[in-house]
Amino acid sequence: MGSIIDGKSFAAGLRARVADHVAALKAEHGIVPGLAVVLVGEDPASEVYVRNKGIQTRAAGMESFEHKLPAGISQDELMAVVARLNADPAVHGILVQLPLPGHLDSDAVINAIDPAKDVDGFHVLSVGLLGSGQKAMVPCTPLGCLMMLKDRLGDLSGLHAVVVGRSNIVGKPMAQLLLRENCTVTIAHSRTRNLAELCRGADIVVAAVGRPNMIPGDWIRPGATVIDVGINRIEEDGATRLVGDVDHASAAQVAGAITPVPGGVGPMTIACLLANTITACCRANNLPEPEGMGS
Ligand code: NDP
């Protein structure tokens, strides 16, 4: 039976380090890092995420600016909000909660964010910097996955990693990060053939698909490290529960270490957002960046 990677306590540790750093920035430089979150419309899941982000931002001692905008806002009006946040010196990080309503051009909105404040790492410049191996603002979910992998395995050099999923927010940046750590990386997706065989050859499997329990234990090489990014709601015995993309019960029997769902990758994502905000704040003020916060 493999060990469980406790993302909840890992994230608590990271948030505590962020809070210490915020306190030091205040005490030594009089600077309060600020994170602005823009929510358009009333999607219930997005509202929960935004509320949690606000709570955790304030708990870390940072300033939280929440902008709730009507679903019918025009592209120009939304771009004007982003422009105001870009110009606001109290705002060090800007996050536009996705998905946006269909009439809005998400790419244009994300690319209008000042790259120095792009704490989600989705701006095309951040993507290009990461892809070309330069210092970049790294998307929060893959950053959290990498932190847990390095904590567990130390040097990742030469390990074979299979990333299942090629989205811009998880799969692709995850693969780039693993490549940067000198892994041999395979990116799998819905057209991949022999996925089971590919996974069986992997030292590291990162699953970011969005299909409940898709990866069974017999796809996992004994001793491999498994990071389950998936968050899927399933109905069971009349109740709703969350499961990952990996069949946890069978995979935990063979994996060397595995993240649970919930309590694995999920809690790390907001903690990494706070870490990215500190990094952006330090860069904006020409101060040394905090150690061990990833970007
Ligand atoms: P997307 O839907 O954007 O991407 C899913 C990827 O999975 C696509 O690349 C798709 O391939 C691939 N895929 C679909 N079916 C298969 C299959 N049968 N075999 C192999 N690959 C397949 O999802 P996201 O990347 O946004 O999210 C993935 C999961 O991670 C979701 O469950 C989401 O809820 C969760 N998530 C969790 C976060 C957290 O904080 N823990 C944050 C973000 C996401 P193709 O490109 O060919 O269509």
Side-chain angles (χ1 to χ4, degrees):
M1 182 86 178
S3 59
I4 302 297
I5 301 175
D6 184 352
K8 220 169 158 181
S9 73
F10 201 98
L14 179 56
R15 288 200 307 271
R17 294 206 305 282
V18 167
D20 286 348
H21 209 84
V22 171
L25 278 174
K26 272 186 204 168
E28 292 163 25
H29 303 281
I31 296 169
V32 182
L35 172 64
V37 177
V38 178
L39 174 64
V40 180
E42 285 162 12
D43 176 60
S46 295
E47 283 189 338
V48 171
Y49 288 139
V50 167
R51 198 177 321 126
N52 285 339
K53 282 168 188 165
I55 291 168
Q56 295 195 22
T57 304
R58 287 186 291 275
M62 300 190 202
E63 198 81 66
S64 170
F65 306 97
E66 285 169 36
H67 295 263
K68 291 192 175 177
L69 306 172
I73 192 169
S74 72
Q75 182 80 21
D76 286 349
E77 287 167 323
L78 182 54
M79 295 293 253
V81 171
V82 171
R84 274 203 302 281
L85 296 173
N86 283 343
D88 185 342
V91 172
H92 302 100
I94 302 170
L95 179 148
V96 176
Q97 183 67 42
L98 299 176
L100 290 173
H103 68 283
L104 296 168
D105 179 346
S106 304
D107 287 342
V109 173
I110 298 301
N111 290 331
I113 295 172
D114 177 348
K117 300 188 179 188
D118 175 37
V119 284
D120 244 348
F122 296 159
H123 190 289
V124 70
L125 186 75
S126 306
V127 175
L129 289 170
L130 180 62
S132 57
Q134 299 178 65
K135 194 158 129 177
M137 200 55 88
V138 176
C140 303
T141 299
L143 179 59
C145 296
L146 184 72
M147 283 183 184
M148 291 191 288
L149 280 169
K150 286 174 75 168
D151 179 69
R152 181 62 47 156
L153 298 172
D155 184 10
L156 306 184
S157 189
L159 297 180
H160 182 201
V162 172
V163 179
V164 191
R166 56 172 165 180
S167 71
N168 289 335
I169 63 167
V170 190
K172 279 187 211 152
M174 186 75 244
Q176 296 286 6
L177 284 173
L178 291 165
L179 203 53
R180 200 171 78 176
E181 297 297 324
N182 300 313
C183 288
T184 303
V185 182
T186 303
I187 306 176
H189 46 77
S190 66
R191 313 290 174 89
T192 297
R193 294 181 191 159
N194 299 328
L195 183 57
E197 278 314 306
L198 281 175
C199 289
R200 285 187 191 116
D203 303 299
I204 296 169
V205 175
V206 180
V209 180
R211 293 169 74 98
N213 301 324
M214 188 189 103
I215 298 180
D218 69 355
W219 290 18
I220 304 299
R221 175 198 270 185
T225 306
V226 179
I227 303 290
D228 191 354
V229 183
I231 301 178
N232 309 292
R233 280 184 173 72
I234 61 164
E235 297 293 328
E236 214 174 54
D237 304 328
T240 305
R241 68 183 188 99
L242 291 185
V243 297
D245 293 338
V246 177
D247 177 42
H248 189 84
S250 61
Q253 299 296 322
V254 270
I258 182 168
T259 58
V261 177
V265 176
M268 281 300 286
T269 297
I270 298 183
C272 286
L273 176 67
L274 304 181
N276 275 352
T277 305
I278 287 275
T279 301
C281 177
C282 291
R283 287 181 191 169
N285 289 285
N286 290 319
L287 292 168
E289 289 171 31
E291 295 284 319
M293 296 211 188
S295 274

